[in-house]
Amino acid sequence: MKRKKLYIIRHGQTDLNKKGIVQGSGVDSSLNDLGRAQASAFYEKYKDFPFEKVYTSALKRTKETVLHFEEAGFVPQELPGLNEISWGVVEGKSPTPENKARYQALLQAWADGDLSQKYEGGESLQEVVDRQKVAIDHILAQEEECVLVAMHGRAMRILLGWWVNDTLIGMDQFSHSNLSLYEIDWESDKGPKIVRFDDRSHLEHL
């Protein structure tokens, strides 16, 4: 039986996060000052944890979030399957009342079980799941037993939905904020189990 512990974090804050502008996988923004402070705070809390490997998405905001670990000697592995969902035509758009209404309608469709709904030019939930499964299968196949995974808010909800709960309906129960943490215990014969939920204690002084 194989065992693995995954510490899954959302990236630090970007200016677009602060402004409520949709990023998705098509907008490759960097961390802002607060985001870098969040990354530093996380590193200070977890720099002595027995991480054996660090994984990121292919986007700058996750790679910058684990930069201190890289400077300490880790060589993060980039997995595009961990990228944020593509929001298609609304990526980079300001939070106008119309855009907010479209977003809420999409979330409601998903909550009602219509998981095929997506923005024009964007990804469906199943498309995200398909690429996430490739990334997770890769991580679980490796020998490391304790790993750090930096990814994105909606992508985290999708991952925890299909992987932990075996359903994407209700995935919005998995709350998150910039640099919040989910700790997952995985055993090959039992699957994944959340042992820490949306932990933000390392950010209390910010």
Side-chain angles (χ1 to χ4, degrees):
M1 180 179 66
K2 292 182 66 174
R3 291 186 175 89
K4 199 176 291 281
K5 185 177 284 289
L6 297 90
Y7 291 78
I8 301 177
I9 56 173
R10 186 186 174 199
H11 62 80
Q13 189 187 79
T14 69
D15 280 339
L16 297 187
N17 287 145
K18 186 176 180 180
K19 296 174 182 176
I21 295 174
V22 176
Q23 293 178 104
S25 62
V27 178
D28 199 11
S29 53
S30 291
L31 302 186
N32 62 15
D33 287 343
L34 177 57
R36 287 187 286 272
Q38 291 168 334
S40 295
F42 181 83
Y43 178 73
E44 286 303 313
K45 177 71 177 286
Y46 289 95
K47 62 184 179 183
D48 295 323
F49 266 58
F51 296 131
E52 299 167 77
K53 185 71 178 179
V54 176
Y55 296 94
T56 72
S57 76
L59 300 171
K60 288 189 296 187
R61 51 193 185 271
T62 61
K63 291 183 277 190
E64 292 175 3
T65 295
V66 300
L67 181 60
H68 294 299
F69 290 93
E70 184 174 2
E71 292 172 342
F74 284 92
V75 181
Q77 183 172 357
E78 179 182 308
L79 297 177
L82 300 175
N83 280 9
E84 182 60 294
I85 189 173
S86 170
W87 296 108
V89 296
V90 302
E91 290 187 345
K93 299 293 180 63
S94 298
T96 64
E98 179 184 4
N99 286 338
K100 288 181 179 179
R102 290 185 70 190
Y103 179 65
Q104 290 302 320
L106 179 61
L107 294 187
Q108 188 60 55
W110 289 346
D112 292 340
D114 187 355
L115 305 181
S116 66
Q117 290 295 313
K118 61 180 179 179
Y119 285 113
E120 300 91 334
E123 287 181 294
S124 70
L125 295 178
Q126 188 60 53
E127 288 171 322
V128 178
V129 170
D130 289 344
R131 61 174 168 82
Q132 285 187 348
K133 285 183 175 179
V134 175
I136 289 298
D137 285 348
H138 173 80
I139 292 171
L140 297 181
Q142 308 311 304
E143 294 302 317
E144 299 90 6
E145 294 185 357
C146 184
V147 301
L148 175 62
V149 181
M151 50 188 307
H152 306 264
R154 176 54 57 180
M156 285 174 62
R157 282 177 161 159
I158 295 170
L159 173 65
L160 296 171
W162 71 260
W163 191 40
V164 177
N165 274 10
D166 199 31
T167 176
L168 293 175
I169 298 175
M171 63 182 165
D172 281 349
Q173 70 179 285
F174 299 114
S175 57
H176 61 77
S177 61
N178 291 116
L179 231 307
S180 61
L181 165 72
Y182 280 82
E183 181 183 342
I184 308 291
D185 282 348
W186 174 82
E187 296 182 9
S188 57
D189 63 337
K190 295 181 180 179
K193 177 183 178 181
I194 298 175
V195 295
R196 247 193 302 171
F197 186 104
D198 193 19
D199 182 15
R200 313 174 193 189
S201 59
H202 45 281
L203 304 175
E204 288 178 349
H205 67 284
L206 294 181

